[in-house]
Structures are given as C-alpha cells and as structure tokens.
Amino acid sequence: MHISKSFIPILKNNPSEAKIKSHQLMLRVGMIKQSSAGIYSWLPLGFKVMKKIERIVREEQNKIGAQEILMPTIQSSEIWKESGRYEDYGEEMLRIKDRQDREMLYGPTNEELVTDIFRSSLKSYKSLPQLLYHIQWKFRDEIRPRFGIMRCREFYMKDAYSFDVTDEDALFSYNKFFLSYLKTFKRLDLTAIPMAADTGPIGGNLSHEFIILAETGESKIYADKRIFDLNFEGTKLDVKSLLELRDQYEKFYSVTDDKFKEDEFNEKVSEKNRLKTKGIEVGHIFYFGDKYSKPMEAAVDLPGGKKDYVKMGSYGIGVSRLVGAIIEAKYDEKNEIMKWPISVAPYDIAIIPMINKNDTSALDKANKINLELNQNNIDAIIDDTDENLSSKIKKMNLIGAPYQIIIGKQTEGDLFEFKEINKETQKINLKEIIKIINKQKAHN
C-alpha cells in the first residue's frame, strides 16, 4: 500500500475536542470520524485494527467451544417486558416504534433475545451445555458521551451466553470464559486483571470485570500487586484446572470501586502490596442463574419427566473499545509514538524511502522490498510522498506499524536500516528482516 493512495487523513495537530490519548490519536491519524455525538464512522486504518481484534476474540471464543450466531440490532420490546427489564433498564435504552406502532428498541444487550432463541429451539437437557456468541453493534444512549470510542453511544461488541442444566455446570462454563478472556487480552499484549465487580442491570450474584491499568480509565481499582505475577499458561479446559485458576486469582484482593471496602483492603493486603489506581474495563462476565430463563419460561426436560429452568451466564468484550484501550496502554504521547502490537497493527512494517524529484531509485527499491514482503505474508505501507525523511518518520511513528525500513543515504547494497519502534536501528538484509517479523507474528 502506498500512502499517497491510502485513505489516511492525517492532521498536523491534536484536535482540541479530544481530551485523552486514544481520542487524540484516532482523530489525528484518521482512524475514525465523528458522525454525531458518541457515534463514529470507522475509516480504513481504524477499521483494519478493529477487525484484527475481532479475529483474535473470535478465535479464542471458538477454542472453548462457543458457537457463533448473529442477532439483529433491533429487538421487540415484548421479550424485554417478559423478563421485566423493559422499564427498569432506564434512559440508556433507545426505544422506537415502527410504522405499525409496535414498540421496538435498539439492543443495548442480548440476554432476552438469545433466551428467546434458546427456548424455541432446544427442549432436552441432552442438548446442554450450549455456548453461543455473536459480534454485533450495540447502542446505549449515554447522557454524556465523551472520550471518543471509550464512552460512546454506538459500539461494536462480542457478547456470549451460556446455557447449562445445573449451577455446577454453569460455573464450569463461566470459568471457561474466564480463561478465554485472559488468553484474548494476552494476545493483544494487554495485562488484564479480573476483578470482582457489581452485576449492575445484567443481574446475578457473580461477576468479574477485566481491567487494564490506565490513568485515563474511569474505573477506580484496588488490588494486591502480586496478582500481576500470576501465570495462566498451560491451564486445561477441565473442571479442576479451571477452578484452580479462578481460585488462584481470587486469592488476591482485586475489586472495582463498587465492591471496595477500605477496612477489608487494609486487612487483606500488606501496605507494600497495595495498589490504588485507575483502569479501563475491556471485558465483563456474569453468572445469573435463572434470572432470565425463569420469567421467559426457558426450561428443559430432565430425566424422570421433570423440567427445570436453564442456568445462564453472559460474557462481553468491547471490541471497538479495545482499539482505544490499546492506544491508552501503548501510545507515547510525549514523543508522539504509537507502537501497535503486531497481532493487531494496521501494517506490519513501514517502508520509508528518501525521495527526490530527479531520483526514484529509493522508491523503486521500496516497491521491490514490498513485493518480497507480500510474498512472505508481511503487510507493508510505503511512504511514497516527497516529504523530507524526518517528517515521514514522524508520520509513520503516529500510524504505529511496529517495524520500519528506512531507505536513505545510509543504505548500503543489500543491507537496510531496520528498526523496531522505540529501539535502535540496525543494518541487516531483507531475509533477516522477514525472519524477525514472521517470528514475532508467530507468537501472536
């Protein structure tokens, strides 16, 4: 891809309306454009990153046996009235009427709709467990949308739902998602800590938020620092291993402000291990038993002719919000350098040739390099503009491809100036460059 032909409308300065790093960068490099308050169009650069995040989320859901479906954005009010949440949900729900004067809504979440799908399709306990998920746009009418995509009205989200016969089976499903989330965020190069959280309008009595540390976060968090040393690698998808994993994390104090009690914190955590800071919620999981299945009559036949309401949980990840969360975690605002994790970077590498009007040899060399990189499944962007080299490097530092090849006066034969963002330049050949990048990609 040549930058001269790409749709990347870069601004010289940060927009005045953007107050946090992610909002500033996303507007400045043309990842998004505001359509109306809290609603954004996703432009090619931002959309590319979001779709890569979506792919990772999908892969990790599939690994635990979840099956993908797609539910509509517009829902009937009737099923929400059945569950009792239609009036209770509040003004965040966008309520509308169709031309037949039927009450409809733009879905803020999907517990009712997926329960309706389940009850009309499955009747026997032999069909359980079932893990269903979809990745879809949602709408919550925030009273004060702000911070760009971090607190907007329309957002892209993965939500999953589990259906089980017993509480014990349901907790096994819950723990599968617990591990899946840890793995998902690790692949995004984020350290997300599961914290006991309030269940809010979803309901139930068991819930964990997955939080990454960030000064711009809206969640206040209180934790034992030792929780960051835990390792979930090698955990198997069996009841015992998953229970041990959750016990391992719950042994250390970690809560959001809704659950925080000063006396309990001071009693359980030594002073040197106390962490009080802010964070960004990137995932949330809930177990709520028969909260929805009972009022909506979602029951299965059991042995002996009895029936029982299925036990349910729900599991959300903000796919679009993760774009902003990664920026908040990775963007060096002072030096104006963004380094995307290679698993979600819009481009694997930037090729920056020094070009003048009378000599196109550097651009010719860049095109040849790009051809070979493409043959090795490495996605590159070439800055083919006639700007000076320092301006090009600054621009590519904002776009955030994790690697750069610079073709200038220091280029000698088949050796190229190659660097990983924020690290020293080295002179190596293209074969070595390909090996380095593909090795890094293989880890993700």
Side-chain angles (χ1 to χ4, degrees):
M1 171 65 74
H2 292 82
I3 202 163
S4 65
K5 298 292 188 287
S6 61
F7 194 86
I8 306 177
I10 296 178
L11 305 175
K12 288 186 177 180
N13 299 302
N14 287 327
S16 58
E17 71 268 26
K19 305 302 180 187
I20 64 172
K21 291 190 291 184
S22 57
H23 196 193
Q24 290 169 355
L25 184 69
M26 293 183 78
L27 289 177
R28 188 170 176 189
V29 300
M31 297 180 76
I32 55 173
K33 183 184 184 302
Q34 182 168 309
S35 173
S36 59
I39 300 175
Y40 293 87
S41 295
W42 286 76
L43 306 185
L45 199 68
F47 191 63
K48 196 171 183 182
V49 172
M50 186 170 71
K51 296 304 282 187
K52 287 189 172 185
I53 292 171
E54 179 185 348
R55 175 183 58 81
I56 289 172
V57 169
R58 176 177 285 109
E59 287 173 358
E60 292 302 325
Q61 293 294 283
N62 293 344
K63 285 178 184 177
I64 62 168
Q67 302 168 80
E68 187 170 10
I69 61 175
L70 183 62
M71 291 178 275
T73 57
I74 303 298
Q75 302 178 26
S76 167
S77 67
E78 294 305 315
I79 52 176
W80 284 72
K81 289 174 180 176
E82 275 190 76
S83 73
R85 279 208 304 173
Y86 186 65
E87 299 299 336
D88 294 344
Y89 202 87
E91 293 184 355
E92 283 190 358
M93 181 189 287
L94 181 62
R95 296 167 171 86
I96 54 181
K97 288 187 178 182
D98 66 13
R99 66 174 65 194
Q100 305 296 333
D101 208 35
R102 289 174 295 215
E103 291 179 321
M104 310 292 285
L105 59 99
Y106 193 135
T109 183
N110 284 75
E111 282 79 12
E112 283 81 1
L113 188 53
V114 78
T115 303
D116 181 52
I117 291 169
F118 176 89
R119 70 180 176 181
S120 65
S121 306
L122 298 178
K123 302 298 182 185
S124 171
Y125 76 97
K126 294 179 181 178
S127 301
L128 302 186
Q130 289 287 338
L131 310 179
L132 303 175
Y133 76 97
H134 80 157
I135 303 174
Q136 177 63 290
W137 292 100
K138 290 188 166 40
F139 188 92
R140 293 176 190 165
D141 199 4
E142 291 278 354
I143 188 169
R144 287 188 303 276
R146 58 195 184 279
F147 305 146
I149 62 161
M150 298 301 290
R151 195 166 183 85
C152 54
R153 295 196 294 165
E154 186 182 53
F155 51 95
Y156 200 50
M157 185 174 175
K158 186 283 304 180
D159 47 319
Y161 302 91
S162 60
F163 301 85
D164 288 277
V165 177
T166 66
D167 286 316
E168 292 75 17
D169 293 339
L171 289 176
F172 180 38
S173 293
Y174 185 94
N175 292 341
K176 284 182 183 178
F177 283 98
F178 190 96
L179 175 61
S180 173
Y181 277 32
L182 291 172
K183 288 185 172 183
T184 298
F185 300 128
K186 176 76 178 291
R187 289 183 63 186
L188 300 174
D189 200 25
L190 296 173
T191 302
I193 301 304
M195 299 192 167
D198 188 59
T199 57
I202 301 295
N205 56 12
L206 174 62
S207 176
H208 286 87
E209 285 183 20
F210 289 76
I211 304 280
I212 64 165
L213 303 188
E215 284 302 316
T216 50
E218 290 192 299
S219 299
K220 293 179 181 177
I221 60 173
Y222 307 86
D224 188 322
K225 293 176 183 177
R226 292 174 294 175
I227 200 169
F228 291 93
D229 298 327
L230 297 178
N231 184 6
F232 57 84
E233 298 298 331
T235 303
K236 297 177 181 177
L237 280 173
D238 60 61
V239 174
K240 185 173 181 292
S241 298
L242 290 172
L243 191 58
E244 288 174 352
L245 173 71
R246 229 184 80 206
D247 286 345
Q248 181 182 329
Y249 275 92
E250 291 179 341
K251 184 170 65 176
F252 295 102
Y253 191 93
S254 62
V255 300
T256 57
D257 47 347
D258 293 323
K259 292 274 189 178
F260 176 65
K261 295 178 181 176
E262 186 83 43
D263 292 343
E264 186 181 14
F265 184 53
N266 294 337
E267 179 187 335
K268 291 185 175 182
V269 186
S270 64
E271 190 172 350
K272 69 175 183 178
N273 289 322
R274 288 174 198 159
L275 176 67
K276 294 183 179 182
T277 187
K278 292 181 179 179
I280 297 170
E281 178 194 335
V282 288
H284 205 155
I285 61 177
F286 304 84
Y287 174 58
F288 39 71
D290 60 8
K291 175 180 168 61
Y292 299 92
S293 59
K294 191 171 184 179
M296 295 185 69
E297 296 290 329
V300 291
D301 297 323
L302 301 177
K306 292 184 179 179
K307 285 181 178 286
D308 199 7
Y309 300 112
V310 291
K311 308 301 186 290
M312 294 174 57
S314 70
Y315 316 87
I317 288 180
V319 176
S320 55
R321 173 178 258 234
L322 274 166
V323 181
I326 292 170
I327 294 171
E328 293 296 328
K330 306 293 182 184
Y331 181 46
D332 178 352
E333 188 177 16
K334 181 181 178 183
N335 296 303
E336 296 190 327
I337 296 173
M338 176 62 199
K339 182 186 175 185
W340 289 99
I342 199 163
S343 58
V344 298
Y347 299 96
D348 300 323
I349 189 167
I351 306 172
I352 311 172
M354 186 170 68
I355 301 172
N356 61 58
K357 294 178 181 177
N358 301 318
D359 183 6
T360 62
S361 60
L363 180 56
D364 293 339
K365 195 171 285 188
N367 288 329
K368 288 179 181 177
I369 291 169
N370 183 44
L371 185 62
E372 192 162 345
L373 291 173
N374 283 339
Q375 290 171 350
N376 285 274
N377 298 314
I378 295 172
D379 191 14
I381 184 167
I382 302 171
D383 192 337
D384 58 333
T385 63
D386 58 4
E387 296 178 41
N388 63 59
L389 207 55
S390 62
S391 295
K392 290 184 176 188
I393 292 171
K394 184 177 180 181
K395 186 197 310 176
M396 289 303 180
N397 284 346
L398 283 171
I399 290 173
Y403 297 99
Q404 296 175 352
I405 293 176
I406 300 166
I407 306 172
K409 293 178 180 178
Q410 302 299 317
T411 303
E412 301 170 0
D414 66 345
L415 298 181
F416 299 99
E417 291 181 73
F418 172 75
K419 65 177 293 188
E420 185 176 351
I421 286 186
N422 279 340
K423 293 191 178 179
E424 294 295 316
T425 301
Q426 52 183 319
K427 289 186 178 181
I428 56 176
N429 62 39
L430 189 55
K431 186 179 285 187
E432 285 300 311
I433 291 171
I434 290 169
K435 190 182 294 184
I436 289 169
I437 297 173
N438 278 334
K439 183 178 179 182
Q440 187 64 31
K441 289 175 75 172
H443 286 288
N444 291 278

